[in-house]
Amino acid sequence: GAVVSQHPSRVICKSGTSVKIECRSLDFQATTMFWYRQFPKQSLMLMATSNEGSKATYEQGVEKDKFLINHASLTLSTLTVTSAHPEDSSFYICSARSSPGQEINEQFFGPGTRLTVL
Amino acid sequence: LAKTTQPISMDSYEGQEVNITCSHNNIATNDYITWYQQFPSQGPRFIIQGYKTKVTNEVASLFIPADRKSSTLSLPRVSLSDTAVYYCLVGDIPGGYQKVTFGTGTKLQVIP
């Protein structure tokens, strides 16, 4: 199946700093990517939908000025956690959707990024 | 978006067949049913997808009754490596983008 990568896989930062997480679709073009957050022993929570060439759509309760999303190309979306705080520590996962019209429509998930804010 | 309900956890012995049922009473006509597997500290992995009746691939089978208000993921002869969380999702495909909502998932523990 298609491959989605994330970088970095793990990051530790100080409170108040900003952290950028990259999500890449390696062998297909993704006009739409999704960002999720997962706290320990909980399910994935959709944060935002990233659309290539346009503004991201954020879920209710997610601060768009804190979680900056940029989808500048068909293979790259970035999530920047600005002024990070310890409560932002979580597992961040991106996914990319296969092209419309495919027989099987699935989301391909990245391996996740573990963010720890000290 | 159709809400899904699954058992929180299940235990099974190695070699047994495991059936995980998901309820989605408000599934819409255009919704498909997709199951994902997630290991700790990894992203979810696609298992199987279906619309109605039965779908089978190399790793699992998916049974969907005529009313489509539920579905059952069947894992044949599980091994210890199948210990994971299994998520049932419903969403509208194809066309447009598929925004999905993850439910609680079912934590499957395979016992030696």
Side-chain angles (χ1 to χ4, degrees):
Chain A
V3 178
V4 174
S5 70
Q6 283 185 239
H7 178 80
S9 59
R10 185 183 297 268
V11 58
I12 301 173
C13 69
K14 293 182 179 180
S15 184
T17 61
S18 294
V19 174
K20 179 185 285 188
I21 302 171
E22 293 185 348
C23 176
R24 294 182 185 272
S25 57
L26 298 185
D27 52 1
F28 67 103
Q29 294 184 333
T31 55
T32 302
M33 290 183 174
F34 303 91
W35 287 96
Y36 296 84
R37 180 168 54 182
Q38 186 174 34
F39 293 107
K41 299 187 185 301
Q42 295 187 22
S43 184
L44 284 77
M45 291 175 46
L46 180 64
M47 299 175 66
T49 302
S50 171
N51 301 301
E52 188 267 337
S54 64
K55 292 183 178 180
T57 304
Y58 290 82
E59 295 300 300
Q60 190 173 8
V62 177
E63 300 176 56
K64 62 179 181 179
D65 294 330
K66 179 171 182 61
F67 299 98
L68 301 179
I69 291 174
N70 184 280
H71 194 154
S73 77
L74 288 172
T75 59
L76 173 65
S77 175
T78 60
L79 168 68
T80 301
V81 183
T82 62
S83 186
H85 291 282
E87 56 265 31
D88 297 324
S89 298
S90 187
F91 192 53
Y92 291 86
I93 306 171
C94 73
S95 73
R97 180 185 173 278
S98 59
S99 300
Q102 298 287 322
E103 181 176 350
I104 295 291
N105 185 292
E106 63 176 280
Q107 289 189 24
F108 301 98
F109 287 84
T113 296
R114 175 74 62 190
L115 170 63
T116 302
V117 184
L118 302 177
Chain B
L1 296 172
K3 180 179 178 181
T4 59
T5 304
Q6 305 173 232
I8 296 296
S9 64
M10 294 179 69
D11 292 338
S12 175
Y13 287 103
E14 268 191 300
Q16 289 189 330
E17 177 185 78
V18 171
N19 296 309
I20 306 174
T21 298
C22 177
S23 297
H24 27 79
N25 291 319
N26 297 322
I27 190 169
T29 302
N30 294 333
D31 285 344
Y32 279 66
I33 300 156
T34 311
W35 284 79
Y36 285 87
Q37 175 192 56
Q38 186 183 28
F39 297 111
S41 296
Q42 294 187 26
R45 186 172 70 103
F46 174 90
I47 300 175
I48 198 166
Q49 184 179 83
Y51 183 80
K52 62 180 179 180
T53 62
K54 177 183 175 182
V55 179
T56 297
N57 61 22
E58 61 274 11
V59 297
S61 294
L62 178 59
F63 298 91
I64 305 169
D67 65 5
R68 304 199 327 120
K69 293 183 181 299
S70 66
S71 59
T72 299
L73 173 72
S74 181
L75 304 173
R77 299 180 59 80
V78 294
S79 64
L80 296 177
S81 62
D82 293 318
T83 294
V85 178
Y86 293 82
Y87 293 98
C88 158
L89 290 80
V90 294
D92 178 13
I93 57 168
Y97 64 84
Q98 183 185 9
K99 171 180 163 178
V100 295
T101 301
F102 279 79
T104 58
T106 298
K107 184 175 183 180
L108 172 65
Q109 180 69 51
V110 180
I111 306 166

